[in-house]
Structures are given as C-alpha cells and as structure tokens.
C-alpha cells in the first residue's frame, strides 16, 4: 500500500478498520516474499515452546503475529499465548480463529509484558522457551536460527540465544555506562560467541534453555520493584546471576512491526527509566559483567 493510499485509508475509514487493512497488507507482502516450507522437527533435548503475551491495545493485529509463528520452518512443540483474565473477553474473532489452529490460550493474572515468561517457566520447567513479541512479523527461519544457536553450543555453560542484542559496558566495578551509550543492535563476530556483555531485546525473540535463569526471575515482588517497565533488563540480570551467557544468531533482525501497534511502545519512554532501574539492579544484585559464568544461580536471593 503506497503512502498516498495509506493516507486516504486513514482519513476515510475508522482507525480500527484502517489499522487492520494496512497491517494485513504488510502481512501479505511479507508472506509473498517468504514462502512457507515444510516444517522440520527440532533436535533439542527438551520440549520447544514459543511463548508470548498480549493485551487489548494490540489485539487488532495479534492474529498476524500468531500466523507468522505458525509458519516456522522449525516446528515448536507448543505455542502458548498468555492473556490476563480481565482481557480474555476482548479477544477478537480473528485471533480466536487462529487459536483454533493449534495455539494454546492460558489465562493468568496480569503481569504486563512479564506474562510471556514468568508463567511459562514453572509450567514448562524442562522446556526451551522461545519468547516473541505480539506486534512483529517473524520470518519462517526465525525459530530455526534460535535453535541452531543452541545445537552448536560447545560450551558446558547454558547460553541464551537471541536475534537482537545491545552491548553494555562499565565505568568501574559498581557502575555501568548510561543505557543510551550502549552499542545497540550489535552485528560483529564478538556477539556470536557466548558473552556476558550482551543484553537481548525481546522484539527479536529470545530462546531460554532450561535452568538458564535465576529462580528469582518469576518473583513478582522483585521485578515490580527493580524493573517494572524493563523486563529485558530483569531477565538479563537473572541470567547473569545464574551464570548464563548470551549469543546473537542470524543477520540483522528485520523489525517489521504492525503499523497500528506502534501507538504504545515501552521504548518510547524507557531510556531515562532504564538508567534508574539499572542503577538499582547493580546496587542490590551486582555488576553483571563481573558475575562468574559458573555461578550456577547461587547468587544471593533478595528477601522482601
């Protein structure tokens, strides 16, 4: 759809209708460029689960993201959508139709973006958990690359694989450089080996091996205190406290986000808040760059 056509559609039609038309045109264009192959079975030692969450502001295009997850070249054992109890009734017909194609709907208490992982960890303790955002098109090879990064891991230390990551640095033992000075969306060779200084971003998708996060990861009292609006930061710290490393896979992640979903995005107001949350995490849990790779989740648990 051209820019002129988009402006006409936006002016003539109600926003929800224009949203659906424009975003579905995006989906069709991506599908035409990336035809579906024959899904293959993964060779991981445990179950492979794609886990994501959503909320009503994103419902108009949620079915498109779900459809892209159903088109993966590597077949997951499950795709689970976690929805807050109070938001279930608002799920639109198009989303419910996609759920009928093999996606599990699990109803939980609301925990914002944290829902995609904190409920999956206890529900599937031996699984490899691939988290996805609800407003993005995922290419058919998205899951294949995440899994391949696990399959060729020669290290005995758990490694979390991701498509997109930022590299952080420090200003001494107890201080990290400001968030906006991190190296964003790194693509170099150093990012493709297990590293402590890579923080993945959820939009690209992240694959967590079993036991790769500290047990505190699911503690709502802690993540709401230390990182209420930055689940990427919280899970990064929980991985480092467990001695887990990260590596990037694939090429530069193509952030094809649905046109409508961009009205409300955390990163629009998060950079200053991120520095405050980072300072609190360093103060009470330590500098993640100086945590040993063999910590094994034995770092002190904070009682509150």
């Amino acid at each position: 759809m051209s820019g002129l056509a988009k402006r006409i559609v936006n002016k003539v039609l109600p926003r929800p209708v224009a949203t659906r038309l424009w975003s579905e045109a995006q989906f069709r264009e991506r599908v035409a460029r990336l035809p579906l192959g024959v899904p293959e079975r993964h060779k991981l030692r445990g179950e492979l689960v794609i886990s994501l969450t959503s909320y009503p502001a994103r419902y108009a295009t949620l079915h498109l993201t779900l459809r892209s997850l159903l088109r993966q070249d590597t077949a997951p054992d499950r795709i689970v959508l976690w929805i807050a109890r109070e938001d279930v009734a608002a799920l639109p017909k198009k989303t419910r139709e996609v759920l009928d194609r093999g996606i599990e709907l699990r109803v939980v208490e609301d925990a914002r973006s944290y829902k995609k992982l904190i409920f999956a960890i206890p529900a599937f303790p031996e699984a490899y958990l691939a988290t996805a955002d609800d407003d993005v098109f995922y290419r058919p090879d998205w899951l294949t690359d995440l899994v391949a990064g696990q399959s060729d891991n020669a290290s005995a230390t758990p490694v979390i694989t991701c498509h997109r990551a930022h590299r952080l640095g420090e200003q001494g033992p107890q201080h990290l450089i400001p968030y906006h000075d991190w190296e964003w969306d790194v693509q170099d060779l150093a990012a493709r080996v297990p590293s402590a200084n890579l923080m993945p971003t959820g939009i690209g998708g992240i694959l967590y091996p079993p036991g790769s996060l500290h047990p505190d990861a699911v503690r709502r009292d802690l993540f709401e205190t230390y990182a209420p609006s930055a689940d990427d930061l919280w899970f990064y710290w929980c991985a480092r406290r467990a001695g887990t490393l990260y590596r990037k896979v694939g090429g530069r992640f193509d952030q094809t986000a649905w046109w409508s979903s961009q009205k409300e995005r955390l990163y629009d107001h998060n950079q200053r808040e991120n520095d405050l949350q980072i300072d609190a995490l360093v103060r009470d849990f330590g500098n993640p760059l100086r945590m040993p790779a063999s910590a094994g989740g034995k770092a002190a648990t904070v009682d509150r």
Side-chain angles (χ1 to χ4, degrees):
M1 188 180 292
S2 68
L4 176 60
K6 179 179 169 183
R7 289 194 295 271
I8 293 173
V9 167
N10 293 346
K11 189 170 184 65
V12 172
L13 297 175
R15 183 175 180 89
V17 176
T19 289
R20 289 196 298 272
L21 286 176
W22 172 239
S23 299
E24 288 176 9
Q26 279 183 288
F27 182 82
R28 288 193 299 272
E29 186 257 342
R30 297 292 288 167
V31 167
R33 288 169 51 193
L34 299 163
L36 181 63
V38 178
E40 295 186 0
R41 169 77 177 159
H42 67 85
K43 297 180 181 179
L44 297 172
R45 293 188 297 272
E47 192 175 27
L48 176 60
V49 178
I50 296 177
S51 183
L52 73 161
T53 187
S54 192
Y55 61 107
R58 300 272 180 84
Y59 280 0
T61 54
L62 173 59
H63 67 287
L64 300 176
T65 294
L66 295 175
R67 287 169 62 187
S68 76
L69 294 175
L70 286 167
R71 300 178 72 254
Q72 294 300 302
D73 292 338
T74 294
D77 296 294
R78 301 170 186 262
I79 302 176
V80 182
L81 174 66
W82 307 87
I83 295 294
R85 186 166 290 103
E86 57 269 31
D87 294 337
V88 173
L91 282 169
K93 179 181 178 182
K94 285 195 173 184
T95 298
R96 293 184 182 275
E97 289 173 348
V98 177
L99 294 179
D100 289 341
R101 294 170 57 184
I103 296 174
E104 298 179 28
L105 172 63
R106 297 208 177 194
V107 181
V108 293
E109 60 182 292
D110 193 12
R112 301 180 65 185
S113 61
Y114 282 94
K115 297 195 299 296
K116 66 186 173 188
L117 194 53
I118 64 167
F119 299 110
I121 291 171
F124 310 107
E126 302 300 322
Y128 289 76
L129 301 174
T131 60
D133 276 7
D134 61 344
D135 59 344
V136 179
F137 178 91
Y138 290 102
R139 293 166 48 108
D141 58 359
W142 168 77
L143 190 58
T144 299
D145 288 343
L146 290 174
V147 170
Q150 297 291 327
S151 302
D152 64 7
N153 175 33
S155 171
T157 303
V159 174
I160 293 169
T161 48
C162 61
H163 276 282
R164 186 173 184 272
H166 303 332
R167 180 177 289 123
L168 55 156
E170 62 180 8
Q171 296 175 318
Q174 298 302 318
H175 297 282
L176 299 182
I177 63 175
Y179 182 73
H180 71 269
D181 290 333
W182 292 11
E183 296 178 59
W184 284 36
D185 195 10
V186 291
Q187 302 295 323
D188 54 25
L189 293 177
R192 300 175 186 280
V193 297
S195 308
N197 64 352
L198 295 179
M199 187 202 77
T201 65
I203 190 172
I206 306 167
L207 182 56
Y208 297 89
S212 58
L213 296 176
H214 189 282
D216 279 349
V218 300
R219 285 187 54 180
R220 186 166 187 166
D221 60 324
L222 293 182
F223 65 70
E224 287 189 341
T225 298
Y226 288 97
S229 62
D231 61 312
D232 287 342
L233 290 174
W234 175 249
F235 292 128
Y236 168 70
W237 250 265
C238 287
R240 294 300 304 123
R241 291 175 66 204
T244 305
L245 301 175
Y246 288 90
R247 68 185 295 201
K248 177 192 156 44
V249 297
R252 188 178 298 277
F253 181 72
D254 183 4
Q255 298 182 61
T256 302
W258 311 123
W259 169 67
S260 64
S261 66
Q262 306 315 297
K263 290 189 297 178
E264 190 173 343
R265 295 189 63 83
L266 285 176
Y267 65 65
D268 289 337
H269 54 79
N270 243 15
Q271 289 197 36
R272 184 179 62 84
E273 293 177 2
N274 277 353
D275 283 325
L276 297 175
Q277 293 169 105
I278 288 167
D279 289 344
L281 288 164
V282 171
R283 182 190 68 231
D284 288 355
F285 296 105
N287 181 342
L289 302 182
R290 295 177 180 244
M291 295 176 183
S294 58
K298 295 180 181 178
T301 297
V302 175
D303 294 322
R304 298 184 69 86

